[in-house]
Each structure stands twice: as structure tokens, then as C-alpha cells.
Amino acid sequence: MPPSVEYEQVGIGGALSGNDRTALPGSEDAACAARAAYLPRVPVRSWFCWDAAAQGDKDDVPHSPWVPQGLATSGEAQLDGTPIGSEHRALITSWAWLNSPDPNAPDYRTNSVNLSVVDLDERRYRNVLPVWVDGQGKLRRIYGHGGGLAWYGPYLFMTSSSNWNGYSGPDSTQHTLRVFDTRKIYRKKDGGGGDYRYVIPEVRHYITPILLDFVSLDRHSSGGASLIAGTYKRSSGTSASLAGTKLVRYRFQPPPDGDYRVITTPVQAWVSTAPADPADAISDVQGVQADGDRLYLNMSAGSHPGPDPRRRFATVNVSGPASTWTINAHTSWAYRPEDLSLWYATGELWGLTEGEEERVVFSVGVADTDPP
């Protein structure tokens, strides 16, 4: 069901245009340049920062509650690198409203999700609110932790928890994978609407048996494109706590490229075990990208027993029997990283960081993901 007559359909092209978008600083800006310390320590191809208002405040975290989480790029959505409906390269990030400024008066946005649509060519962005449409045609926020994004053709997939704070919604008490059509972004005609000025309604959702905290698109998996998703499992500093991260792979239903229909029975699943060397542990995972049988994972945790726990990264080859799998792990990745996205045409892995006043978005060549 489309939004009411108060809205006009503008699609991703409309979201990526207009003089009212917010500019994003790069290394030419002194405040942004100071955040280079949070980038990966391997060669970085490109990077930028969020504007000051979106950086958060270390000294006043409860009053700067939007935290970046998921990341998807038009370089995964389309092999030519431009999204359907626009000529500009783009990425989309999800933000979770994690805190309430006043514990005695909870904010209605707590556990809400927002999306930032970024024009990479002009380095500007605007926010688009993910919504569902109730039986009376009223737009309502989507809640739950939007921890991961994947973009396939025009369709955007977002992992979502059941943490809706009691608000009603489609299967709001379930863990879900929610689907949006980037061609169906709407703008309020009168230019108002606050958070609802630009909206993207859900077109489908899938109930998942486990909570999925991150998701990405793999165009090179055997049998065609697939989604790979997984859970965040925090370590507690003990060897046993380094095990238990779950990853699953979902295939799309045939036929065509870019369809959103997912086969909800995983075709592959993995559960991490505790390694002899804690530096090789697959734990505290914040983002995963698959490229066929090769998995890229970034991880962050203050309780991990290894060195530099908030900069961990691993490449895992899962072809053949498990006894032959290899793990290449290091602690030279970004500081407190989040989701990952592969830009297929350029061979770049895109990522972002979440810490207040430490937020950067960056790309690294796949060949450079491991230190020399």
C-alpha cells in the first residue's frame, strides 16, 4: 500500500538530489582529518566523515543516540555501480536510536531505525525513514535494531530485531529480515513532515528463526546470488565465550536477477568454535561479506583477550571440508567497525565505524584487506 495522497513518489533518484541535502566532510576538513586515526591501518582508497550533528558526543551519549549500523552500496546492487533510478553512485546506512535522553520520560524513537542515502559523487546525503503502512493508510515507524543492510537490484534488505518497545507492527515480536524497494521512496508534497518528510515503506518481511545482526549480498556464490547473515555474539574474555557466532546463507528464488524473494531455509550455516589462538577467534562480529567461498568479517570487542580487540578482521576460506579451512586474522582494521559491503566492479570493501566522534566511512581494496 503506497503512502497517502500527501506524498509523491520520487524514488532513489529523488532522494539523491536537491539542494537541501547535508554535505559530508572529507580529509580536507580539519575535524574530519583528525578522525583518520579510526580508519583501517591497511591502505585506504577513499573515505569521508559524517557531519558534526551525526558524529554524536562522547561526553553526552544519551543525548546523541543515533548510532550508524548497516551499510549497503550501489556497487553491490548493480554491477555498473549506479542504483536503479539514478546516475549517481550511492550508499545507504542504517542508524539505530539506542538511547533515551530522559530515563524517566522514554523517547518514542527509542529502538527506531533511520536510513541515510548518500550520493558518493557529490558527497551529500539525506535521511529516509523506513515505515510500514497500517490498515488506515497511516505511516508508522519501523522499530528494532537495523544492524545490517544488503542491496540487490532495487531492493534493500535490513535485519531487524523484535525490540519494538511494545509498539505494534507487522510481526513486531519476531526477528525479521525486512525488504524495501528503493524505487518506492516518497516525499511529502508540502516539504514538511519532520522525520517523515522522506519515507520508504516496507514491501515484504521474512521471519528468521534467529536474530540476524548483519547481512550482505554475495553475487559469486555457487548457484547464484545469495544473502549471508549472522548474529553478534559478544565475548567475555574467556576461551569458551569466543565460540558461538552463527552465520547463514539464504538463496533467492528464481527467476530474475534483482528479485526480492528469499528462500527462507538456509543453504549453508556455520557456527564458530574456540580456536587454540584467541587472535583467530570469530567472535564479536559486526559485519560479514561473502565472495563465494571467501568470507570477510570485521569484529570489535573490549572483552576479547587478544591484542587491539576493537580492530579485528579475518578472512576465512570455507571451500572444501572444514579441516582444510584457513583463517587469516589481524588487528589492523577500523576502530569499532560495523557493516561491510563489496563494490564488485572496483574490488573494494566498504565499511564504517560507530563510535561517537569517531565515525568514518571508507573503502579498502580487497587485495589490501590483509597487512603486507
Side-chain angles (χ1 to χ4, degrees):
M1 180 186 297
S4 69
V5 294
E6 298 175 342
Y7 285 82
E8 58 182 345
Q9 184 173 341
V10 297
I12 188 71
L16 290 170
S17 61
N19 296 326
D20 56 341
R21 293 169 297 156
T22 301
L24 291 166
S27 59
E28 75 286 345
D29 176 84
C32 180
R35 296 187 174 101
Y38 307 110
L39 291 167
R41 293 168 177 163
V42 298
V44 172
R45 290 193 183 179
S46 61
W47 69 285
F48 61 85
C49 299
W50 296 103
D51 58 293
Q55 278 292 339
D57 185 344
K58 284 180 177 293
D59 297 324
D60 195 14
V61 172
H63 291 83
S64 54
W66 286 111
V67 179
Q69 297 293 298
L71 171 70
T73 63
S74 59
E76 67 181 275
Q78 292 274 98
L79 291 178
D80 68 1
T82 59
I84 295 172
S86 175
E87 296 179 353
H88 286 218
R89 299 177 309 136
L91 64 79
I92 301 175
T93 61
S94 60
W95 299 70
W97 182 282
L98 297 181
N99 305 305
S100 181
D102 184 353
N104 298 314
D107 194 292
Y108 70 92
R109 287 168 292 193
T110 301
N111 297 324
S112 179
V113 184
N114 211 348
L115 300 174
S116 290
V117 179
V118 179
D119 180 337
L120 289 173
D121 296 320
E122 297 182 359
R123 218 166 66 196
R124 292 180 174 273
Y125 81 100
R126 74 166 74 254
N127 289 332
V128 176
L129 188 68
V131 298
W132 63 283
V133 185
D134 69 14
Q136 287 71 49
K138 183 177 177 59
L139 302 181
R140 298 189 178 275
R141 288 176 180 270
I142 285 178
Y143 291 83
H145 190 75
L149 296 175
W151 197 351
Y152 187 37
Y155 297 106
L156 186 71
F157 298 80
M158 181 178 76
T159 60
S160 179
S161 70
S162 60
N163 193 5
W164 282 49
N165 276 14
Y167 293 109
S168 63
D171 286 316
S172 60
T173 62
Q174 305 285 338
H175 301 315
T176 56
L177 184 64
R178 299 188 180 273
V179 189
F180 307 87
D181 188 337
T182 59
R183 297 168 298 187
K184 297 179 180 179
I185 295 175
Y186 296 85
R187 175 177 59 205
K188 204 161 188 296
K189 291 178 180 178
D190 64 7
D195 289 348
Y196 289 81
R197 184 182 180 193
Y198 283 79
V199 298
I200 182 169
E202 175 184 308
V203 295
R204 179 72 184 268
H205 67 269
Y206 299 94
I207 297 173
T208 58
I210 60 173
L211 169 60
L212 300 177
D213 292 301
F214 41 84
V215 64
S216 66
L217 178 72
D218 180 5
R219 285 187 169 272
H220 293 158
S221 58
S222 176
S226 63
L227 295 175
I228 184 164
T231 61
Y232 175 82
K233 169 73 164 48
R234 183 176 175 81
S235 64
S236 61
T238 65
S239 177
S241 72
L242 299 180
T245 295
K246 298 176 182 178
L247 299 177
V248 293
R249 188 190 295 276
Y250 295 108
R251 297 224 181 279
F252 291 96
Q253 296 184 23
D257 181 284
D259 201 332
Y260 66 82
R261 295 173 300 165
V262 173
I263 300 171
T264 54
T265 301
V267 293
Q268 284 181 298
W270 304 272
V271 180
S272 68
T273 57
D277 182 350
D280 290 334
I282 304 300
S283 69
D284 309 276
V285 175
Q286 298 281 15
V288 62
Q289 174 67 52
D291 191 16
D293 289 327
R294 186 173 295 272
L295 308 182
Y296 301 95
L297 305 104
N298 62 18
M299 300 163 278
S300 64
S303 60
H304 187 276
D308 243 348
R310 296 195 169 193
R311 288 185 177 271
R312 292 193 295 135
F313 185 90
T315 303
V316 186
N317 190 325
V318 295
S319 61
S323 60
T324 66
W325 294 357
T326 57
I327 298 176
N328 188 2
H330 63 80
T331 54
S332 296
W333 199 242
Y335 183 74
R336 296 182 63 188
E338 276 293 329
D339 211 10
L340 293 171
S341 173
L342 181 58
W343 198 292
Y344 283 85
T346 61
E348 293 173 309
L349 199 61
W350 283 77
L352 75 168
T353 60
E354 69 171 342
E356 285 77 13
E357 302 181 48
E358 303 168 352
R359 294 170 180 168
V360 292
V361 182
F362 58 88
S363 68
V364 172
V366 168
D368 297 323
T369 54
D370 293 325

